[in-house]
Amino acid sequence: MPGEVWRDGGEEWQKYILLLLKRKYGPEFVEIPDEDRGDYGLEGFSRDGCAYQCYAAENPLSAKELRERQRDKITRDIKKFIDNEDGLLEILGPTKISHWILVVPYWESKELLKHAEHKAKKIRESNLPHVADSFFINIEVEDYFAVEREQILGVGLEKLRIDPDNITQDECYDFIDDNNELVENLERKIELLSPWSSLENKEKLKTKFINYYIDGQNLLDKLNSKYPEFYYRAERTKNDRELFLETTSMISSCKPADIFNKTMSEYTEELSESLKGLENNTINRLVYEAMADWLLRCPLDFPECEAYI
């Protein structure tokens, strides 16, 4: 499936893509406001002959529903693009459109490509004065703007939310079965962190930390494959924090819960500063992954003092 599911709605998608387009083209990009008698079938165009339209279908949708909605979007807007010849000529000036590009969060069906080519062929045969002879319809996702995305996210102009895949209970059980030593570390530290909790609550806390770890690892995998700059910054920040964490926790006179909370608070600040382009939800997932990882291993440990138990 090219692309990723977008959860913030069509209007936010349009704003996001327009921001990317302006970063990509600078003054060579011309936005067409849609408040005044429609948008002519495109959000804007660049002087190199590329015209752009954005569309984010509401979720959840089946593959068939998604294909039909994206197909209908192409049909409607290409009709506008044809019918508004006079208005477009006044806006385009000497520019002729060679590519009409629909930017979507994701798409799933090759039938959409067939439909796009059918519409493009119709336009090529119409000999429209605002269209180049080599006219094509493209379907693109966010990766089309990989460079621009890194630029705007890197300075916090846009906030990105990345949701990892859902964790199954079996994944948690498998982790426990395959990592006895790490789980024993975690259980020992939970006794120090929450000595007065019931056995049931301690077991729940263990499961939560393991889920945070698996969830965060899935998220890091997504960052590594799609947003490598964010992945590099996240790993660097975590490694820098871990470098002195064991020493700090060993010499602290605070209670284990206070050490844990202080570490989490400071690391949240550090990660938020390093990853300004990520939403708080995504930052928190990465923070809890690190905290769980440090508990499972031994960078974050506590003095085993009877006074704390």
Side-chain angles (χ1 to χ4, degrees):
M1 177 184 77
E4 297 281 346
V5 174
W6 176 265
R7 305 183 188 278
D8 292 339
E11 186 175 346
E12 290 303 312
W13 176 252
Q14 178 179 331
K15 290 179 182 177
Y16 177 47
I17 297 303
L18 285 172
L19 185 61
L20 292 169
L21 284 165
K22 291 169 184 175
R23 173 68 61 162
K24 182 179 182 69
Y25 291 106
E28 293 296 303
F29 179 72
V30 180
E31 182 179 355
I32 301 177
D34 57 8
E35 289 85 359
D36 182 18
R37 292 173 293 175
D39 58 7
Y40 292 164
L42 54 153
E43 316 288 4
F45 67 94
S46 59
R47 291 299 179 186
D48 65 356
C50 291
Y52 292 90
Q53 183 65 296
C54 311
Y55 180 61
E58 294 182 7
N59 285 294
L61 294 173
S62 67
K64 179 175 181 293
E65 289 171 329
L66 179 65
R67 182 189 74 238
E68 289 174 349
R69 294 195 186 188
Q70 290 173 336
R71 177 201 65 199
D72 293 346
K73 176 66 174 175
I74 292 173
T75 299
R76 289 193 305 270
D77 286 342
I78 286 298
K79 185 176 186 304
K80 294 179 189 177
F81 183 68
I82 295 172
D83 292 345
N84 289 285
E85 173 187 321
D86 292 340
L88 281 169
L89 282 171
E90 293 178 0
I91 292 173
L92 293 169
T95 303
K96 288 196 172 188
I97 301 302
S98 59
H99 290 77
W100 187 93
I101 301 170
L102 180 67
V103 188
V104 298
Y106 73 106
W107 58 282
E108 297 184 314
S109 174
K110 62 180 179 296
E111 295 301 318
L112 199 61
L113 294 176
K114 295 179 182 178
H115 181 70
E117 174 52 26
H118 173 73
K119 292 296 181 183
K121 183 173 183 292
K122 179 179 177 182
I123 286 186
R124 289 194 296 268
E125 292 172 348
S126 299
N127 295 316
L128 298 169
H130 59 297
V131 176
D133 293 337
S134 57
F135 178 84
F136 291 97
I137 295 175
N138 294 29
I139 302 160
E140 301 290 352
V141 296
E142 186 187 4
D143 288 346
Y144 179 76
F145 304 101
V147 173
E148 294 76 24
R149 177 182 63 200
E150 293 293 339
Q151 290 173 346
I152 68 171
L153 294 176
V155 296
L157 291 177
E158 183 71 19
K159 298 289 187 181
L160 181 69
R161 173 174 177 145
I162 306 170
D163 292 314
D165 298 331
N166 292 329
I167 301 171
T168 65
Q169 197 61 47
D170 287 343
E171 288 181 87
C172 182
Y173 293 148
D174 290 342
F175 182 91
I176 292 172
D177 291 340
D178 296 339
N179 297 276
N180 291 333
E181 184 176 346
L182 295 179
V183 174
E184 287 174 5
N185 277 339
L186 178 61
E187 290 172 339
R188 174 178 61 82
K189 293 174 186 178
I190 287 174
E191 286 291 338
L192 296 169
L193 282 168
S194 188
W196 297 282
S197 292
S198 66
L199 289 176
E200 181 183 2
N201 284 340
K202 289 174 182 175
E203 190 66 23
K204 286 181 180 178
L205 197 55
K206 179 181 77 174
T207 301
K208 281 185 176 294
F209 276 121
I210 292 172
N211 282 334
Y212 291 145
Y213 176 74
I214 297 171
D215 180 85
Q217 287 289 302
N218 290 341
L219 177 54
L220 285 167
D221 286 343
K222 281 197 172 184
L223 286 178
N224 191 23
S225 63
K226 191 167 183 182
Y227 308 96
E229 177 61 24
F230 278 138
Y231 174 79
Y232 169 75
R233 291 182 195 174
E235 286 292 281
R236 183 181 60 189
T237 305
K238 181 180 177 183
N239 291 337
D240 287 349
R241 182 67 178 174
E242 185 174 320
L243 190 61
F244 304 106
L245 184 60
E246 184 175 5
T247 303
T248 302
S249 60
M250 286 176 64
I251 64 176
S252 175
S253 60
C254 298
K255 294 181 179 180
D258 294 334
I259 296 172
F260 178 92
N261 290 328
K262 184 173 185 291
T263 300
M264 187 165 70
S265 176
E266 291 175 348
Y267 185 58
T268 300
E269 289 184 15
E270 292 168 8
L271 205 58
S272 298
E273 178 63 25
S274 179
L275 303 175
K276 292 180 179 178
L278 296 183
E279 281 192 5
N280 289 339
N281 177 276
T282 304
I283 293 290
N284 287 336
R285 288 179 185 272
L286 292 173
V287 169
Y288 273 94
E289 183 278 333
M291 298 300 294
D293 183 27
W294 292 333
L295 290 175
L296 285 161
R297 295 183 295 118
C298 286
L300 180 60
D301 212 336
F302 313 109
E304 295 191 53
C305 177
E306 292 295 327
Y308 296 152
I309 301 177

